[in-house]
Amino acid sequence: VMSKVRATLASVALAATVAGGVGAYDAVAPLQARAELNEREYERGGEFNRGSAKQFGGIDMIKQDIVKDFGKDLRLSNFVQANIRYAKLRGANLRGAYMMKLVAPDVDFTGADMSDALMDRSVFVDANFTDAILTRVVLTSSDLNGATIEGADFTDALLDKTTQMKLCERASGTNPVTGVSTRKSLKCGGGRFASRQSTPSRYMTDETAPTPKQEFEADRFSMYSTKPLPTDKSNK
């Protein structure tokens, strides 16, 4: 009997701690504190051991000016399953960002560099990609209905055939940074299987294709990092 009482009391104490401690902290914790990496995570390359700069996974940032609050450098940041509808990411550096299952209708991506970003299974309905760079992005199973793409560069982007055809219906303009026509980058008016020939890894099989820009030192792209931990004595 006493053992059952102790177990019950322990369960109640744990529930109280969660409700009054962790829950309360999350409710009042500033978004900045939750998004930034701690020292250990940074030294080991961030979430997924891939050097992700900031963590927004699963966070609601509706109507937020993310660039204003967190800066333009959002390379390799994690936005997986975040809700950022009506948010602003104008001119952001989102190269290599993790944006899978992202809820982003009406988001302003004007002038953003999203090269090599993983953007599959996401909602970008009525989003603004004017003059954005989307080279080598993965956009399979994503919804881009009503998205503005004037001047956007989709070179070597991985798209569903139906999505490519819909985008070609309204594709126009030339990207001011890369100088590539939006229609050309989408292979509009090309052969029957033109879009299927695109691949984010074309530079690995095509000697004439440029090598993607290296955003971070190679060490940050390995789970077997050679960097010492902040607590290592050899690092002092």
Side-chain angles (χ1 to χ4, degrees), residues 19-211:
V22 178
Y25 176 80
D26 282 347
V28 299
L31 185 58
Q32 182 77 23
R34 295 178 61 184
E36 296 288 354
L37 294 174
N38 62 38
E39 188 175 13
R40 181 188 178 93
E41 287 175 320
Y42 178 83
E43 288 296 327
R44 285 307 185 192
E47 189 166 351
F48 312 126
N49 294 302
R50 292 298 230 179
S52 42
K54 291 183 174 64
Q55 306 302 315
F56 304 111
I59 292 178
D60 287 341
M61 293 186 286
I62 301 173
K63 297 183 178 180
Q64 186 169 351
D65 189 334
I66 299 174
V67 169
K68 180 180 178 181
D69 294 339
F70 297 97
K72 287 187 175 182
D73 190 359
L74 299 168
R75 291 171 294 170
L76 297 172
S77 290
N78 171 26
F79 288 87
V80 177
Q81 293 186 318
N83 182 358
I84 62 170
R85 64 183 70 214
Y86 306 110
K88 293 182 180 180
L89 279 162
R90 295 177 64 93
N93 186 346
L94 291 161
R95 296 177 68 95
Y98 302 92
M99 309 176 81
M100 301 86 80
K101 297 183 180 180
L102 179 67
V103 180
D106 292 284
V107 171
D108 189 355
F109 292 104
T110 300
D113 186 349
M114 310 170 77
S115 303
D116 302 299
L118 298 177
M119 305 165 63
D120 52 293
R121 296 164 292 168
S122 297
V123 178
F124 297 106
V125 174
D126 295 326
N128 188 351
F129 291 101
T130 300
D131 296 336
I133 301 175
L134 297 105
T135 57
R136 299 178 301 275
V137 299
V138 176
L139 273 165
T140 50
S141 300
S142 288
D143 189 348
L144 283 86
N145 285 323
T148 301
I149 59 170
E150 183 177 359
D153 183 353
F154 289 90
T155 300
D156 294 325
L158 196 60
L159 299 161
D160 296 323
K161 180 63 177 178
T162 53
T163 300
Q164 183 248 4
M165 293 176 65
K166 288 181 179 180
L167 292 177
C168 282
E169 292 176 0
R170 57 182 184 278
S172 64
T174 300
N175 189 273
V177 177
T178 66
V180 176
S181 158
T182 299
R183 291 188 61 80
K184 183 178 180 180
S185 71
L186 284 167
K187 300 183 184 297
C188 299
R192 182 179 178 185
F193 301 104
S195 66
R196 298 181 186 181
Q197 295 171 357
S198 296
T199 166
S201 302
R202 183 169 70 92
Y203 72 95
M204 299 178 68
T205 57
D206 185 351
E207 294 182 357
T208 64
T211 301

Side-chain angles (χ1 to χ4, degrees), residues 2-14:
M2 289 302 294
S3 61
K4 291 184 178 180
V5 172
R6 291 194 188 96
T8 301
L9 289 175
S11 299
V12 172
L14 177 59

